[in-house]
Every structure is written in structure tokens, then in C-alpha cells.
Amino acid sequence: MNQPLRTTPRVLIVGAGPTGLALAIELGHRSIPCLVIERNARVGHAPRAKTTNVRTREHLRRWGIADKLRQASPLGVDYPSNVLFVTRLAGHELARFENAMYCAPGKNPMYSEHAQWIPQYTVEEVLREHAASLPGVEIRFNCELLGFEQGDTVAARVKDLDGGGESVIVADFLVGADGARSAVRDAIGAKMEGSYGLSRNYNVVFRAPGLDKAHRHGPAIMYWQVNTDVPSLIGPMDTGDRWFFMPTAVSESVKFRAADAAPLIQRATGIDLPYEILSSDEWVASKLLANRYRQGRVFLAGDACHLHPPFGGYGMNMGIADGVDLGWKLAAVLQGWGGPRLLDSYEAERRPVHQFVMDEATANHSTLSNQLVQDGLEDDSAAGTQARAAIGARIMAAKLREFNTLGVVKGYRYVASPIIASEEGPEPEADFLNYLPSARPGSIAPHAWLHDGRSLYDTFGSGFTWLVTDGSEDAAAEQVQAAARACQLPLTVVRAPKGSVAALYGARHVLVRPDQHVAWRGDGLPADLVALLARVSGRSS
């Protein structure tokens, strides 16, 4: 892995987490040589994110590795993605959300891939293996960025931590996907703004054979424990009886030591088992956004430019979407068919989405187990039953938005993008819960299953796609292809089978971007087709 460079990278990516790997994959699929450097010896091993949402898995489907991730599921892809609120594992059930995050296998008309409950380190390994298999993609672990200078290129000084010394890597662009403590962010003078320290929490990974059978609540991916002893989350994480345990909103006066973890788990669950502690670390929930995502040829992505509470499972998924958005745009510019406004659009598109998702995650964070605790909740009495019913109703009202999130995951749109042909009329209201597929420009293209079993997404090209929604054949498609050739724009014409696709898209012709967002739609060709293609490829306003 740490052999001398085989190629000169066009893009240097700092950080081999999910964001950096997604960017490398997007570039690799487009034949853009890139180098990923990572100061650590391997991809992550802490659990962190556990939900790979439907949109991320649609990207994996596009890359051809959705099935590989499905096969890597440690609990099995059919494991119920239920979320239960209980007083404690040995106690009373308060509320239940079934198929949280849409992890249930099977075909759903609104998306091509179900979500998956799987540890982030497993996702990273699948991404790393795929990225490393692509020609032109190289990953170097134990390699640290020391600094960089930029002009017509970016010259980065790096150090081989295995003793190989320092060297200079010259690339066209550099992307900081180096996490919350981003050195790249500091180097370009970007600042994180917002609220730090919304809560102090702990994450413990432990082994407990038999814990899954030691309670009566049945299988779930998370159990929220609402009690006065240790308000917390707990749930299965991996094979080998490995679980996670997360005490939430821990007081500053509480000093948590690893030696305290096993008795704390016993107190929280009410179940006496031998708990083997594998790791323990403190983390702080914050709501922070970088004041800018770019300086010249240097960009920020993932946690390097946005941090928010993990409730709702958005963080890793949002970073992967950053890698997708920036990846195809960098590739377009390097291949010569994309203009400078394409790169300007990265922050213009992603920042409002980050803000929207951060607000949702912060709203979810406002109701933790700590806020649900009340006296008498565990009493085996009529008053206790009444209290549990009241808290259960409160949970169902407050936490629905956290576990039924399709409106956030697929319902966002790029409204003020310089490379989207906007439509007249008011924008639909954002709805965190109800996802109404729309082909309004800026939206994710509506999904549909075709009669031969394929997803409509499977027919889209790797560049732009001109979708004829009613399946008709006329001279329009030939005109579009001729204009695309004149602009050197990669474009595939797809004629949808006659059926409901036309009604779903609301127009006869739709231009879909490489990332499956709608760039334009209309019943006839635009007055100036070349001008439209120049706009969506960032070569004109």
C-alpha cells in the first residue's frame, strides 16, 4: 500500500474515511488519477455511524458494490431494524418504531436500495477495497500532510510515518476530507461556526454473550433506556456478541473511567452478565458549519466542514454525498467539459443541505432519554402504567422525525445552484417526514421500477442523461445528442418505457446530472439547447 507513486495524481485527497473514499471512487470511475493519504495505519475501527441510508446505498448501487455491502452485514440483512424505547432492557417497553431508517429488504417504489444497519468500519472497508481496485486510485496509510502551497497547481508536503521521509506531491486539486480536526481547514483559514458542546456523551463497545436473549423485548438495532440511573442507548453492533452502550448528556461533574463501564451497563440494563469492555471514549455533540468550503484549488468535505449530533444517522451519509457531488465536478473540469462555475456550485449546493440536515439532527438531539425520565416510570402500579403511556405518546410524537427520515434523505433539492435551470413558481415546503418525489430541477430524480425488474436509475449514464419520459422516438433526441457532442458533454439518451414515468416526472424531457439530480425539464426542447448544456456544465451563467 505504501509503495512509491505509480502515477501523478490529478487530485490529492487527505483522509481515507467514508468521505475521502467516496470521492476517490467517484474520481476512479471517471478515470481521474487520485491519491488518498491517511495519517493512521488503517481505516477506522470505532463504531461511529451505524446507518448507511437509502441514498448512500443508491450511490453504492451506481458504483456496483451495493450487494457487497449487503453481504457484509454482520447481523444479517434481514435483522429487524426496530428501535425500542424501554425503561431498561430488563424493564418496561415505552414505544416502538419498526423498520426505522427503511432498512427492510425488498422493493420500494421510492428508492432503488434499502438502508442498512452496519458499523461504519465495515462500510469503510468495503469502500476502501473498491477504491483500491480502480485504476488510477492509490491509498497510502501512515502518510501525513505537513502543508501545501497553491498556484497553478497544489504542491503538498507529506511525511511517510513508516520512516520513508518527506516528499512533495503535486496535484491539480487538494480535498480535505480529514475530519473534525481538519488540518486542511486550518491551512485555508476556514473557521467552524455554530454551537459547540450541546451535550457530553460516552461510547462504549463491549462483549456480552447472551445479552440478546436476556430480555423480553425482541430484536432491535437500538434500545433507548429511560431511567434515573443511566439514561442511555444500547444495541447490537457486530458479530461475536459485540454491543455498543452510549450514556447521553452526561454531567460535567461525572468522571467516567473505563473501569466503571461494566457496572454502569449492569445498572442501566438491570441485567447481571459478565460485560467485557473493548473500548470507551468520550464525544461531544455540536452543531458547527465551516464559514467557507474552498480556497482556490483546495476544498473541504465531510466532517471537515460540517459537524452535528448523530441522531438521525446523517453524518457519514452526508459526507459520502459531499464526495459524490465534488467528485463528478472535479472530474468534469479535469476532463475539459466542465467549466469553473461547476466548482463554484459545490458549496452553493451542499451548504444549504448541510444546514437543513444539521437543524434536523439538532431537533432530534433535543429529546434524549434524559429529557424523558420521570419519577414512577418503572413502578408496577396503575400510576406507573399511566406514566409509561404518557411518555410513550410523547416519544412517538417527538422521535418520529428521527426514524422516519425519507423526506430528509431524498427530499432535499439544490435550489440556488448556478448550474440548475430553475423553474418558475414557489419551491415546495421542506418536509422531514413525507417524501414526495419531484422532478423539479435541483431534486433527486424520482425513482421507478421498470417492468423488467431494473431500476430506472440503472439506465442512466455515467455522464448526463436525457430522459424521454414517454418513450417516444422523434428528432429531439438526435438534436440533443448533436448538441452534446458539440459541447463535448458526455450524455446518454434514455427512453423510458411507456407507463407512469411521464406522470412521475411531470414533463416529456428531463436532463439528469451524473449524480442523479434533475438539471432541467420541459415538454419541448429549450429555445437554446447549447446554452442549457453550457449552464449545467458550469461554462456559462
Side-chain angles (χ1 to χ4, degrees):
M1 191 65 68
N2 290 336
Q3 298 172 355
L5 296 182
R6 297 186 296 273
T7 59
T8 300
R10 304 299 304 274
V11 181
L12 175 61
I13 303 167
V14 183
T19 302
L21 292 171
L23 175 58
I25 290 170
E26 199 69 33
L27 292 169
H29 274 270
R30 301 175 191 284
S31 302
I32 300 297
C34 62
L35 170 65
V36 184
I37 62 171
E38 169 60 55
R39 69 182 309 275
N40 296 308
R42 50 168 288 180
V43 292
H45 57 273
R48 290 174 289 177
K50 304 172 190 70
T51 303
T52 302
N53 69 27
V54 298
R55 186 63 191 142
T56 294
R57 281 187 44 82
E58 287 181 335
H59 290 309
L60 268 66
R61 183 187 184 102
R62 187 166 51 85
W63 296 332
I65 55 173
D67 285 344
K68 184 169 291 187
L69 188 71
R70 186 180 291 108
Q71 293 161 7
S73 180
L75 302 179
V77 74
D78 293 315
Y79 185 86
S81 62
N82 300 330
V83 173
L84 273 63
F85 284 73
V86 297
T87 55
R88 60 187 80 225
L89 274 185
H92 300 275
E93 181 176 320
L94 301 170
R96 174 184 293 257
F97 296 87
E98 296 188 345
N99 191 28
M101 318 294 187
Y102 312 93
C103 293
K107 288 188 173 181
N108 186 297
M110 291 187 287
Y111 47 78
S112 62
E113 290 288 339
H114 61 83
Q116 195 170 343
W117 179 258
I118 186 168
Q120 178 174 323
Y121 54 75
T122 304
V123 177
E124 288 181 356
E125 185 57 33
V126 171
L127 294 177
R128 184 208 59 77
E129 182 180 306
H130 184 61
S133 74
L134 299 173
V137 175
E138 185 167 358
I139 305 172
R140 293 172 66 85
F141 291 101
N142 286 326
C143 186
E144 183 178 21
L145 177 73
L146 299 178
F148 58 84
E149 296 178 354
Q150 59 172 315
D152 293 335
T153 58
V154 182
R157 291 184 300 112
V158 303
K159 181 178 181 180
D160 185 340
L161 300 179
D162 285 334
E166 297 183 13
S167 60
V168 175
I169 297 170
V170 179
D172 292 272
F173 297 100
L174 184 149
V175 179
D178 49 343
R181 298 180 178 86
S182 172
V184 176
R185 183 182 66 230
D186 292 344
I188 67 172
K191 304 295 183 185
M192 295 295 266
E193 298 175 342
S195 302
Y196 175 81
L198 300 177
S199 67
R200 176 171 168 256
N201 314 272
Y202 282 91
N203 197 45
V204 179
V205 179
F206 66 96
R207 182 177 288 112
L211 182 57
D212 59 332
K213 301 293 194 300
H215 62 86
R216 63 176 184 271
H217 300 297
I221 55 175
M222 279 190 287
Y223 304 86
W224 290 59
Q225 300 187 114
V226 183
N227 58 63
T228 55
D229 287 327
V230 192
S232 55
L233 283 73
I234 194 168
M237 193 186 77
D238 207 337
T239 56
D241 297 299
R242 278 177 284 180
W243 289 60
F244 71 91
F245 172 62
M246 186 189 299
T248 52
V250 178
S251 169
E252 290 292 336
S253 63
V254 175
K255 303 302 178 185
F256 187 94
R257 300 174 305 164
D260 301 327
L264 202 63
I265 296 170
Q266 183 172 329
R267 281 177 56 202
T269 61
I271 296 173
D272 185 6
L273 283 175
Y275 297 104
E276 178 189 356
I277 306 304
L278 302 177
S279 68
S280 173
D281 60 275
E282 179 182 338
W283 61 275
V284 175
S286 299
K287 180 184 178 182
L288 299 168
L289 200 62
N291 60 353
R292 56 192 171 92
Y293 293 8
R294 178 189 182 187
Q295 182 191 65
R297 292 178 171 273
V298 179
F299 295 81
L300 302 175
D303 287 355
C305 57
H306 50 82
L307 289 169
H308 57 78
F311 301 98
Y314 300 120
M316 178 194 75
N317 296 286
M318 199 154 59
I320 288 174
D322 292 348
V324 169
D325 187 271
L326 185 56
W328 77 264
K329 293 172 179 176
L330 287 173
V333 170
L334 291 170
Q335 290 168 341
W337 58 267
R341 290 178 67 84
L342 209 56
L343 300 184
D344 295 338
S345 74
Y346 168 64
E347 182 173 344
E349 291 185 348
R350 295 303 297 163
R351 187 184 182 88
V353 175
H354 295 156
Q355 187 64 63
F356 172 46
V357 172
M358 286 174 65
D359 290 344
E360 280 301 308
T362 304
N364 294 336
H365 174 270
S366 67
T367 304
L368 302 177
S369 297
N370 309 68
Q371 285 80 43
L372 299 168
V373 172
Q374 68 178 53
D375 292 337
L377 200 59
E378 297 187 82
D379 291 352
D380 289 320
S381 64
T385 299
Q386 185 175 4
R388 289 190 290 275
I391 290 295
R394 181 180 165 190
I395 292 168
M396 295 302 295
K399 304 303 274 185
L400 182 66
R401 69 191 305 160
E402 183 167 344
F403 307 118
N404 293 269
T405 59
L406 205 58
V408 177
V409 171
K410 290 205 70 174
Y412 68 87
R413 57 177 52 88
Y414 297 141
V415 176
S417 171
I419 61 169
I420 293 290
S422 58
E423 279 187 1
E424 294 182 356
E427 287 287 334
E429 290 292 328
D431 188 328
F432 64 86
L433 176 61
N434 297 299
Y435 169 55
L436 182 62
S438 169
R440 187 181 178 92
S443 304
I444 296 171
H447 176 260
W449 291 107
L450 304 181
H451 293 170
D452 61 6
R454 290 180 302 163
S455 162
L456 178 63
Y457 291 170
D458 296 341
T459 69
F460 292 173
S462 60
F464 280 81
T465 297
W466 189 274
L467 178 64
V468 182
T469 63
D470 62 2
S472 61
E473 295 191 29
D474 56 24
E478 294 178 7
Q479 291 178 250
V480 171
Q481 287 176 316
R485 285 193 296 270
C487 298
Q488 297 183 316
L489 187 76
L491 183 141
T492 302
V493 172
V494 172
R495 291 179 174 84
K498 292 185 178 180
S500 59
V501 172
L504 188 62
Y505 277 77
R508 186 181 178 197
H509 299 284
V510 181
L511 182 60
V512 181
R513 307 189 328 181
D515 59 358
Q516 298 174 346
H517 281 259
V518 174
W520 171 89
R521 67 175 175 175
D523 285 323
L525 294 185
D528 192 334
L529 182 56
V530 171
L532 171 65
L533 298 184
R535 177 173 183 175
V536 300
S537 59
R539 286 175 290 177
S540 69
S541 57

Coordinates of all heavy atoms in Angstrom, one line a residue, residues 373-447:
V373 N -37.1 11.1 31.4 CA -37.1 10.4 32.7 C -38.1 11.2 33.6 O -38.2 12.4 33.6 CB -35.7 10.5 33.3 CG1 -35.8 10.0 34.8 CG2 -34.7 9.6 32.5
Q374 N -38.9 10.4 34.4 CA -39.7 11.0 35.4 C -39.9 9.9 36.5 O -39.8 8.7 36.3 CB -41.1 11.4 34.8 CG -42.0 10.3 34.4 CD -43.3 10.8 33.9 OE1 -43.4 11.7 33.0 NE2 -44.4 10.3 34.4
D375 N -40.2 10.5 37.7 CA -40.4 9.6 38.8 C -41.6 8.6 38.6 O -42.6 9.0 38.0 CB -40.7 10.4 40.1 CG -39.4 11.2 40.5 OD1 -38.3 10.8 40.1 OD2 -39.6 12.2 41.2
G376 N -41.4 7.4 39.1 CA -42.5 6.5 39.0 C -42.7 5.7 37.7 O -43.6 4.9 37.5
L377 N -41.8 6.0 36.7 CA -41.9 5.4 35.4 C -41.7 3.9 35.4 O -42.3 3.2 34.6 CB -40.9 6.0 34.5 CG -41.1 5.9 33.0 CD1 -42.4 6.6 32.6 CD2 -40.0 6.6 32.2
E378 N -41.0 3.4 36.4 CA -40.8 1.9 36.5 C -41.7 1.2 37.5 O -41.5 0.0 37.7 CB -39.3 1.7 36.8 CG -38.3 2.2 35.8 CD -36.9 1.8 36.0 OE1 -36.5 0.6 35.7 OE2 -36.1 2.6 36.6
D379 N -42.6 2.0 38.1 CA -43.4 1.4 39.1 C -44.4 0.4 38.5 O -45.0 0.7 37.5 CB -44.2 2.5 39.9 CG -43.3 3.3 40.7 OD1 -42.1 3.0 40.9 OD2 -43.8 4.4 41.3
D380 N -44.5 -0.8 39.2 CA -45.5 -1.7 38.7 C -46.9 -1.4 39.4 O -47.3 -2.1 40.4 CB -45.1 -3.2 39.1 CG -43.9 -3.6 38.2 OD1 -43.9 -3.3 37.0 OD2 -43.0 -4.2 38.7
S381 N -47.5 -0.4 39.0 CA -48.7 0.1 39.6 C -49.6 0.8 38.5 O -49.1 1.0 37.4 CB -48.4 1.1 40.7 OG -47.8 2.3 40.2
A382 N -50.8 1.2 38.8 CA -51.6 1.9 37.9 C -51.0 3.2 37.5 O -51.1 3.6 36.3 CB -53.0 2.0 38.5
A383 N -50.5 3.9 38.5 CA -49.8 5.2 38.2 C -48.6 5.0 37.3 O -48.4 5.8 36.4 CB -49.4 5.8 39.5
G384 N -47.9 3.9 37.5 CA -46.7 3.6 36.7 C -47.1 3.3 35.2 O -46.5 3.8 34.3
T385 N -48.2 2.6 35.1 CA -48.7 2.3 33.7 C -49.2 3.5 33.0 O -48.9 3.7 31.8 CB -49.9 1.3 33.9 OG1 -49.5 0.1 34.5 CG2 -50.5 1.0 32.5
Q386 N -49.8 4.4 33.8 CA -50.3 5.7 33.2 C -49.1 6.6 32.8 O -49.1 7.2 31.7 CB -51.2 6.4 34.2 CG -51.8 7.7 33.7 CD -52.8 8.3 34.7 OE1 -52.9 7.8 35.8 NE2 -53.5 9.4 34.2
A387 N -48.1 6.6 33.6 CA -46.9 7.4 33.3 C -46.2 6.9 32.1 O -45.8 7.7 31.2 CB -46.0 7.4 34.5
R388 N -46.1 5.6 32.0 CA -45.4 5.0 30.8 C -46.2 5.3 29.5 O -45.6 5.5 28.4 CB -45.2 3.5 31.0 CG -44.2 3.2 32.0 CD -43.8 1.7 32.1 NE -44.9 0.9 32.6 CZ -45.1 0.6 33.9 NH1 -44.3 1.2 34.8 NH2 -46.1 -0.2 34.3
A389 N -47.5 5.2 29.6 CA -48.4 5.5 28.4 C -48.2 7.0 28.0 O -48.1 7.2 26.8 CB -49.8 5.2 28.7
A390 N -48.1 7.9 28.9 CA -47.9 9.3 28.6 C -46.6 9.5 28.0 O -46.5 10.3 27.0 CB -48.1 10.1 29.9
I391 N -45.5 8.9 28.5 CA -44.2 9.1 28.0 C -44.1 8.4 26.6 O -43.5 8.9 25.7 CB -43.1 8.5 28.9 CG1 -43.0 9.4 30.2 CG2 -41.8 8.4 28.2 CD1 -42.5 10.8 29.9
G392 N -44.8 7.3 26.5 CA -44.8 6.6 25.2 C -45.4 7.5 24.1 O -44.9 7.6 22.9
A393 N -46.5 8.1 24.4 CA -47.1 9.0 23.4 C -46.2 10.2 23.1 O -46.1 10.6 21.9 CB -48.4 9.6 24.0
R394 N -45.5 10.7 24.1 CA -44.6 11.8 23.9 C -43.4 11.4 23.0 O -43.0 12.1 22.1 CB -44.0 12.3 25.2 CG -43.1 13.5 25.1 CD -42.6 13.9 26.5 NE -41.4 14.8 26.4 CZ -40.7 15.1 27.4 NH1 -41.0 14.7 28.6 NH2 -39.6 15.9 27.2
I395 N -42.9 10.2 23.2 CA -41.8 9.6 22.3 C -42.3 9.5 20.9 O -41.6 9.9 20.0 CB -41.4 8.3 22.9 CG1 -40.7 8.4 24.2 CG2 -40.5 7.5 21.9 CD1 -40.4 7.1 25.0
M396 N -43.5 9.0 20.7 CA -44.0 8.8 19.3 C -44.1 10.1 18.6 O -43.8 10.2 17.4 CB -45.3 8.0 19.3 CG -45.2 6.6 19.9 SD -44.1 5.5 19.0 CE -44.8 5.4 17.3
A397 N -44.5 11.1 19.3 CA -44.7 12.4 18.7 C -43.3 13.1 18.4 O -43.1 13.7 17.4 CB -45.5 13.3 19.6
A398 N -42.4 13.0 19.3 CA -41.1 13.7 19.2 C -40.1 13.0 18.4 O -39.3 13.7 17.7 CB -40.5 13.9 20.6
K399 N -40.1 11.7 18.3 CA -39.0 10.9 17.7 C -39.4 10.3 16.3 O -38.5 9.7 15.7 CB -38.5 9.8 18.6 CG -38.1 10.3 20.0 CD -37.0 11.3 19.9 CE -35.6 10.7 19.9 NZ -34.5 11.8 19.9
L400 N -40.6 10.5 15.9 CA -40.9 10.0 14.5 C -40.0 10.6 13.5 O -39.6 9.9 12.6 CB -42.4 10.4 14.2 CG -42.9 9.9 12.9 CD1 -43.0 8.4 12.9 CD2 -44.3 10.5 12.6
R401 N -39.6 11.9 13.6 CA -38.8 12.5 12.6 C -37.4 11.9 12.6 O -36.7 12.1 11.6 CB -38.8 14.0 12.9 CG -38.0 14.4 14.1 CD -38.2 15.9 14.5 NE -37.9 16.8 13.4 CZ -38.4 18.0 13.3 NH1 -39.2 18.5 14.2 NH2 -38.0 18.8 12.3
E402 N -37.0 11.3 13.7 CA -35.6 10.7 13.7 C -35.5 9.4 13.0 O -34.5 9.1 12.5 CB -35.2 10.6 15.2 CG -33.8 10.1 15.4 CD -33.3 10.3 16.8 OE1 -33.9 11.0 17.6 OE2 -32.3 9.6 17.1
F403 N -36.6 8.6 13.0 CA -36.5 7.2 12.5 C -37.3 7.0 11.2 O -37.2 6.0 10.6 CB -37.0 6.3 13.5 CG -36.3 6.4 14.9 CD1 -37.0 6.8 16.0 CD2 -34.9 6.3 14.9 CE1 -36.3 7.0 17.2 CE2 -34.2 6.4 16.1 CZ -34.9 6.8 17.3
N404 N -38.1 8.0 10.8 CA -38.8 8.0 9.5 C -38.3 9.3 8.7 O -39.0 10.3 8.8 CB -40.3 8.0 9.7 CG -40.8 6.7 10.3 OD1 -41.1 5.8 9.6 ND2 -40.8 6.7 11.7
T405 N -37.2 9.1 8.0 CA -36.5 10.3 7.6 C -36.4 10.5 6.1 O -35.5 11.2 5.6 CB -35.0 10.2 8.1 OG1 -34.4 9.0 7.6 CG2 -35.0 10.2 9.6
L406 N -37.2 9.8 5.3 CA -37.1 9.8 3.9 C -37.2 11.2 3.3 O -36.6 11.5 2.3 CB -38.1 8.9 3.2 CG -37.7 8.3 1.9 CD1 -36.3 7.6 1.9 CD2 -38.8 7.4 1.3
G407 N -38.0 12.1 3.9 CA -38.1 13.4 3.5 C -36.8 14.2 3.5 O -36.6 15.1 2.7
V408 N -36.0 13.9 4.5 CA -34.6 14.5 4.6 C -33.7 13.8 3.7 O -32.9 14.4 2.9 CB -34.1 14.4 6.1 CG1 -32.7 15.0 6.2 CG2 -35.1 15.2 7.0
V409 N -33.7 12.5 3.7 CA -32.7 11.7 3.0 C -32.8 11.8 1.5 O -31.8 11.9 0.8 CB -32.8 10.2 3.4 CG1 -31.9 9.3 2.5 CG2 -32.4 10.0 4.8
K410 N -34.0 11.9 0.9 CA -34.2 12.0 -0.5 C -35.0 13.3 -0.9 O -35.1 13.6 -2.1 CB -34.9 10.8 -1.1 CG -34.1 9.5 -1.1 CD -34.5 8.5 -2.1 CE -34.2 9.0 -3.5 NZ -34.5 7.9 -4.5
G411 N -35.5 14.0 0.0 CA -36.4 15.1 -0.3 C -35.7 16.5 -0.5 O -36.4 17.4 -0.8
Y412 N -34.4 16.6 -0.2 CA -33.7 17.8 -0.3 C -33.5 18.2 -1.8 O -33.5 17.3 -2.7 CB -32.4 17.8 0.4 CG -31.3 16.9 -0.2 CD1 -30.5 17.4 -1.2 CD2 -31.2 15.6 0.2 CE1 -29.5 16.6 -1.8 CE2 -30.2 14.8 -0.3 CZ -29.4 15.3 -1.3 OH -28.4 14.5 -1.9
R413 N -33.3 19.4 -2.1 CA -33.1 19.8 -3.5 C -32.1 21.0 -3.5 O -32.0 21.7 -2.5 CB -34.4 20.2 -4.2 CG -35.2 21.3 -3.6 CD -36.4 21.7 -4.4 NE -37.2 20.5 -4.7 CZ -38.2 20.0 -4.0 NH1 -38.5 20.6 -2.8 NH2 -38.9 19.0 -4.3
Y414 N -31.4 21.1 -4.6 CA -30.4 22.2 -4.8 C -31.2 23.4 -5.4 O -31.5 23.4 -6.6 CB -29.3 21.8 -5.7 CG -28.5 20.6 -5.1 CD1 -28.0 19.6 -6.0 CD2 -28.2 20.6 -3.8 CE1 -27.2 18.6 -5.4 CE2 -27.4 19.6 -3.3 CZ -26.9 18.6 -4.1 OH -26.2 17.5 -3.6
V415 N -31.5 24.4 -4.6 CA -32.4 25.5 -5.0 C -31.7 26.6 -5.7 O -32.1 27.1 -6.8 CB -33.2 26.0 -3.8 CG1 -34.1 27.2 -4.2 CG2 -34.1 24.9 -3.2
A416 N -30.6 27.1 -5.1 CA -29.9 28.3 -5.6 C -28.6 27.9 -6.3 O -27.7 28.7 -6.3 CB -29.7 29.2 -4.5
S417 N -28.6 26.8 -7.0 CA -27.4 26.4 -7.7 C -27.2 27.1 -9.0 O -28.1 27.3 -9.8 CB -27.4 24.9 -8.0 OG -26.4 24.5 -8.8
P418 N -26.0 27.5 -9.3 CA -25.7 28.2 -10.6 C -25.7 27.3 -11.8 O -25.7 27.8 -12.9 CB -24.3 28.8 -10.4 CG -23.6 27.9 -9.4 CD -24.8 27.5 -8.5
I419 N -25.8 26.0 -11.6 CA -25.8 25.0 -12.7 C -27.1 24.3 -12.8 O -27.2 23.3 -13.5 CB -24.6 24.1 -12.6 CG1 -24.7 23.2 -11.3 CG2 -23.3 24.8 -12.6 CD1 -23.8 22.1 -11.2
I420 N -28.2 24.8 -12.2 CA -29.5 24.2 -12.3 C -30.4 25.2 -13.0 O -30.4 26.4 -12.7 CB -30.1 23.9 -10.9 CG1 -29.3 22.8 -10.2 CG2 -31.6 23.6 -11.0 CD1 -29.5 21.4 -10.8
A421 N -31.2 24.8 -14.0 CA -32.1 25.6 -14.7 C -33.4 25.7 -13.9 O -34.2 24.8 -13.9 CB -32.4 25.0 -16.1
S422 N -33.5 26.8 -13.2 CA -34.6 26.9 -12.2 C -36.0 27.0 -12.9 O -36.1 27.4 -14.1 CB -34.4 28.2 -11.3 OG -34.3 29.3 -12.1
E423 N -37.0 26.7 -12.2 CA -38.4 26.8 -12.7 C -39.1 27.9 -12.0 O -38.8 28.3 -10.8 CB -39.2 25.5 -12.5 CG -38.9 24.4 -13.5 CD -39.8 23.2 -13.3 OE1 -40.6 23.2 -12.3 OE2 -39.7 22.2 -14.0
E424 N -40.1 28.5 -12.6 CA -41.0 29.4 -12.0 C -41.9 28.8 -11.0 O -42.1 27.6 -11.0 CB -41.8 30.2 -13.0 CG -41.0 31.0 -14.0 CD -41.9 31.8 -15.0 OE1 -43.1 31.6 -15.0 OE2 -41.4 32.5 -15.8
G425 N -42.4 29.6 -10.1 CA -43.3 29.1 -9.0 C -42.6 28.8 -7.7 O -41.4 28.7 -7.7
P426 N -43.3 28.8 -6.6 CA -42.7 28.7 -5.3 C -42.2 27.3 -5.1 O -42.7 26.3 -5.6 CB -43.9 28.9 -4.3 CG -45.1 28.5 -5.2 CD -44.8 28.9 -6.6
E427 N -41.1 27.2 -4.4 CA -40.5 25.9 -4.0 C -41.4 25.2 -3.0 O -42.0 25.8 -2.1 CB -39.1 26.1 -3.4 CG -38.0 26.5 -4.4 CD -37.6 25.4 -5.3 OE1 -37.8 24.2 -4.9 OE2 -37.2 25.7 -6.4
P428 N -41.5 23.9 -3.2 CA -42.3 23.1 -2.2 C -41.7 23.2 -0.8 O -40.5 23.4 -0.7 CB -42.2 21.7 -2.7 CG -41.9 21.8 -4.2 CD -41.0 23.0 -4.3
E429 N -42.5 23.2 0.2 CA -42.0 23.3 1.6 C -41.2 22.0 1.9 O -41.6 20.9 1.5 CB -43.2 23.4 2.6 CG -43.9 24.7 2.5 CD -43.0 25.9 3.1 OE1 -42.2 25.6 4.0 OE2 -43.2 27.0 2.5
A430 N -40.1 22.2 2.6 CA -39.3 21.0 3.1 C -40.1 20.2 4.1 O -40.8 20.8 5.0 CB -38.0 21.5 3.7
D431 N -40.1 18.9 4.0 CA -40.9 18.1 4.9 C -39.9 16.9 5.3 O -39.5 16.1 4.5 CB -42.1 17.5 4.2 CG -43.0 16.7 5.1 OD1 -42.5 16.1 6.1 OD2 -44.2 16.7 4.8
F432 N -39.6 16.9 6.6 CA -38.6 16.0 7.1 C -39.2 14.5 7.0 O -38.4 13.6 7.0 CB -38.2 16.3 8.6 CG -39.4 16.2 9.5 CD1 -39.7 15.0 10.1 CD2 -40.1 17.3 9.9 CE1 -40.8 14.9 11.0 CE2 -41.2 17.2 10.8 CZ -41.5 16.0 11.3
L433 N -40.5 14.4 7.0 CA -41.1 13.0 7.1 C -41.6 12.5 5.8 O -41.2 11.5 5.3 CB -42.2 13.1 8.1 CG -43.0 11.8 8.3 CD1 -42.1 10.7 8.8 CD2 -44.2 12.0 9.3
N434 N -42.5 13.3 5.2 CA -43.1 12.8 4.0 C -42.3 13.2 2.7 O -42.1 14.3 2.4 CB -44.5 13.4 3.8 CG -45.4 13.0 5.0 OD1 -45.7 11.8 5.2 ND2 -45.9 13.9 5.8
Y435 N -41.9 12.1 2.0 CA -41.1 12.3 0.8 C -42.0 12.3 -0.4 O -42.7 11.2 -0.6 CB -40.0 11.3 0.7 CG -39.3 11.3 -0.7 CD1 -38.8 12.4 -1.2 CD2 -39.3 10.1 -1.4 CE1 -38.1 12.4 -2.5 CE2 -38.6 10.0 -2.6 CZ -38.1 11.2 -3.2 OH -37.5 11.1 -4.4
L436 N -42.2 13.3 -1.1 CA -43.0 13.4 -2.3 C -42.0 13.5 -3.5 O -41.5 14.6 -3.7 CB -44.0 14.6 -2.3 CG -44.9 14.7 -3.5 CD1 -45.8 13.4 -3.6 CD2 -45.7 16.0 -3.4
P437 N -41.8 12.4 -4.3 CA -40.9 12.5 -5.4 C -41.2 13.6 -6.3 O -42.4 13.9 -6.6 CB -41.0 11.1 -6.1 CG -41.5 10.2 -5.0 CD -42.4 11.1 -4.1
S438 N -40.2 14.4 -6.8 CA -40.4 15.5 -7.6 C -39.3 15.6 -8.6 O -38.1 15.3 -8.3 CB -40.5 16.8 -6.8 OG -40.5 17.9 -7.7
A439 N -39.6 16.0 -9.9 CA -38.6 16.2 -10.9 C -38.4 17.7 -11.1 O -37.8 18.1 -12.1 CB -39.0 15.5 -12.2
R440 N -38.8 18.5 -10.1 CA -38.5 19.9 -10.2 C -36.9 20.1 -10.2 O -36.2 19.4 -9.4 CB -39.1 20.7 -9.0 CG -38.9 22.2 -9.1 CD -39.5 22.8 -7.8 NE -39.3 24.3 -7.9 CZ -40.2 25.2 -8.4 NH1 -41.3 24.7 -8.9 NH2 -39.9 26.5 -8.4
P441 N -36.4 20.9 -11.1 CA -34.9 21.0 -11.2 C -34.3 21.2 -9.8 O -34.7 22.0 -9.0 CB -34.7 22.1 -12.1 CG -35.9 22.1 -13.0 CD -37.0 21.7 -12.1
G442 N -33.2 20.5 -9.5 CA -32.5 20.5 -8.3 C -32.8 19.3 -7.4 O -32.0 18.9 -6.5
S443 N -33.9 18.6 -7.7 CA -34.3 17.5 -6.9 C -33.6 16.2 -7.3 O -33.1 16.1 -8.5 CB -35.8 17.2 -7.1 OG -36.6 18.3 -6.7
I444 N -33.6 15.2 -6.5 CA -33.1 13.9 -6.9 C -34.2 13.3 -7.8 O -35.4 13.4 -7.6 CB -32.9 13.0 -5.6 CG1 -31.8 13.5 -4.7 CG2 -32.6 11.5 -6.1 CD1 -31.7 12.8 -3.4
A445 N -33.7 12.8 -8.9 CA -34.6 12.3 -9.9 C -35.5 11.2 -9.3 O -35.1 10.3 -8.6 CB -33.9 11.7 -11.1
P446 N -36.9 11.3 -9.5 CA -37.8 10.3 -8.9 C -37.4 8.9 -9.4 O -37.0 8.7 -10.5 CB -39.1 10.7 -9.5 CG -39.0 12.2 -9.8 CD -37.6 12.4 -10.2
H447 N -37.5 8.0 -8.5 CA -37.2 6.6 -8.8 C -38.4 5.8 -9.3 O -39.6 6.2 -9.0 CB -36.7 5.8 -7.5 CG -36.4 4.4 -7.7 ND1 -37.3 3.4 -7.4 CD2 -35.4 3.8 -8.4 CE1 -36.8 2.2 -7.8 NE2 -35.7 2.4 -8.3

